[in-house]
Amino acid sequence: MRSAAAKLFVLHAAQYLVCTFSLYYTLQKLFNRRTALITCLLFGANPFFLSSIGENHADSFGIMYSLLALACLSAAVGARRAHTRRRHADR
Protein backbone atom coordinates (compact mmCIF):
# COMPACT_ATOMS: atom_id res chain seq x y z
CA MET A 1 0.00 0.00 0.00
CA ARG A 2 2.87 2.37 0.69
CA SER A 3 4.23 2.06 -2.81
CA ALA A 4 0.86 3.08 -4.30
CA ALA A 5 0.75 6.15 -2.07
CA ALA A 6 4.34 7.00 -3.01
CA LYS A 7 3.51 6.69 -6.70
CA LEU A 8 0.53 9.02 -6.31
CA PHE A 9 2.69 11.50 -4.43
CA VAL A 10 5.28 11.49 -7.21
CA LEU A 11 2.55 11.88 -9.84
CA HIS A 12 0.95 14.85 -8.09
CA ALA A 13 4.32 16.46 -7.38
CA ALA A 14 5.28 16.10 -11.05
CA GLN A 15 1.97 17.63 -12.13
CA TYR A 16 2.48 20.54 -9.73
CA LEU A 17 6.01 21.18 -10.98
CA VAL A 18 5.08 20.92 -14.65
CA CYS A 19 2.19 23.34 -14.16
CA THR A 20 4.15 25.94 -12.24
CA PHE A 21 7.24 25.81 -14.47
CA SER A 22 5.10 25.96 -17.62
CA LEU A 23 3.29 29.01 -16.28
CA TYR A 24 6.60 30.60 -15.27
CA TYR A 25 8.11 30.01 -18.71
CA THR A 26 5.08 31.46 -20.48
CA LEU A 27 4.89 34.55 -18.29
CA GLN A 28 8.64 35.08 -18.45
CA LYS A 29 8.42 35.16 -22.25
CA LEU A 30 5.46 37.55 -22.21
CA PHE A 31 6.42 39.88 -19.35
CA ASN A 32 9.50 39.65 -17.15
CA ARG A 33 11.01 37.32 -14.55
CA ARG A 34 9.72 39.20 -11.55
CA THR A 35 6.12 39.13 -12.76
CA ALA A 36 6.43 35.45 -13.64
CA LEU A 37 7.87 34.57 -10.24
CA ILE A 38 5.24 36.43 -8.22
CA THR A 39 2.44 34.98 -10.32
CA CYS A 40 3.78 31.44 -10.01
CA LEU A 41 4.15 31.79 -6.24
CA LEU A 42 0.55 32.93 -5.96
CA PHE A 43 -0.63 30.29 -8.43
CA GLY A 44 1.23 27.53 -6.61
CA ALA A 45 -0.41 28.49 -3.31
CA ASN A 46 -3.93 28.79 -4.74
CA PRO A 47 -6.16 26.35 -2.80
CA PHE A 48 -8.36 25.61 -5.82
CA PHE A 49 -5.33 24.68 -7.91
CA LEU A 50 -3.87 22.60 -5.08
CA SER A 51 -7.12 20.71 -4.53
CA SER A 52 -7.46 20.03 -8.25
CA ILE A 53 -3.89 18.77 -8.56
CA GLY A 54 -4.04 16.88 -5.27
CA GLU A 55 -7.03 14.75 -6.20
CA ASN A 56 -7.30 12.04 -8.83
CA HIS A 57 -9.44 13.90 -11.33
CA ALA A 58 -9.10 14.33 -15.05
CA ASP A 59 -9.03 18.08 -14.43
CA SER A 60 -5.50 17.90 -13.09
CA PHE A 61 -4.24 16.37 -16.32
CA GLY A 62 -6.24 18.92 -18.32
CA ILE A 63 -4.70 21.82 -16.39
CA MET A 64 -1.23 20.37 -16.82
CA TYR A 65 -1.74 19.74 -20.54
CA SER A 66 -3.14 23.24 -21.13
CA LEU A 67 -0.28 25.00 -19.35
CA LEU A 68 2.32 22.81 -21.06
CA ALA A 69 0.75 23.49 -24.46
CA LEU A 70 0.75 27.21 -23.71
CA ALA A 71 4.45 27.05 -22.79
CA CYS A 72 5.23 25.19 -26.03
CA LEU A 73 3.25 27.76 -27.98
CA SER A 74 5.19 30.58 -26.31
CA ALA A 75 8.45 28.87 -27.20
CA ALA A 76 7.36 28.43 -30.81
CA VAL A 77 6.35 32.08 -31.16
CA GLY A 78 9.63 33.18 -29.61
CA ALA A 79 11.61 30.96 -31.96
CA ARG A 80 9.69 32.27 -34.95
CA ARG A 81 10.38 35.87 -33.92
CA ALA A 82 14.09 35.11 -33.57
CA HIS A 83 14.11 33.40 -36.96
CA THR A 84 12.34 36.36 -38.57
CA ARG A 85 14.79 38.80 -36.99
CA ARG A 86 17.74 36.81 -38.31
CA ARG A 87 16.25 36.63 -41.78
CA HIS A 88 15.65 40.40 -41.90
CA ALA A 89 19.14 41.08 -40.56
CA ASP A 90 20.65 39.13 -43.48
CA ARG A 91 19.04 41.38 -46.07
Side-chain angles (χ1 to χ4, degrees), residues 5-85:
K7 290 176 186 176
L8 281 175
F9 175 76
V10 170
L11 174 69
H12 294 308
Q15 286 178 335
Y16 178 83
L17 291 174
V18 167
C19 287
T20 52
F21 286 134
S22 296
L23 182 64
Y24 177 82
Y25 181 78
T26 302
L27 292 174
Q28 185 248 339
K29 288 286 187 183
L30 292 174
F31 301 107
N32 57 22
R33 290 182 181 174
R34 181 178 177 202
T35 303
L37 180 65
I38 292 170
T39 305
C40 285
L41 288 174
L42 293 173
F43 178 74
N46 186 351
F48 296 113
F49 170 68
L50 291 174
S51 68
S52 176
I53 293 294
E55 297 175 4
N56 295 327
H57 289 288
D59 293 345
S60 61
F61 289 104
I63 293 169
M64 183 180 69
Y65 177 77
S66 298
L67 288 171
L68 193 58
L70 194 60
C72 290
L73 184 64
S74 299
V77 168
R80 182 162 177 119
R81 284 183 187 164
H83 176 70
T84 304
R85 275 189 240 126

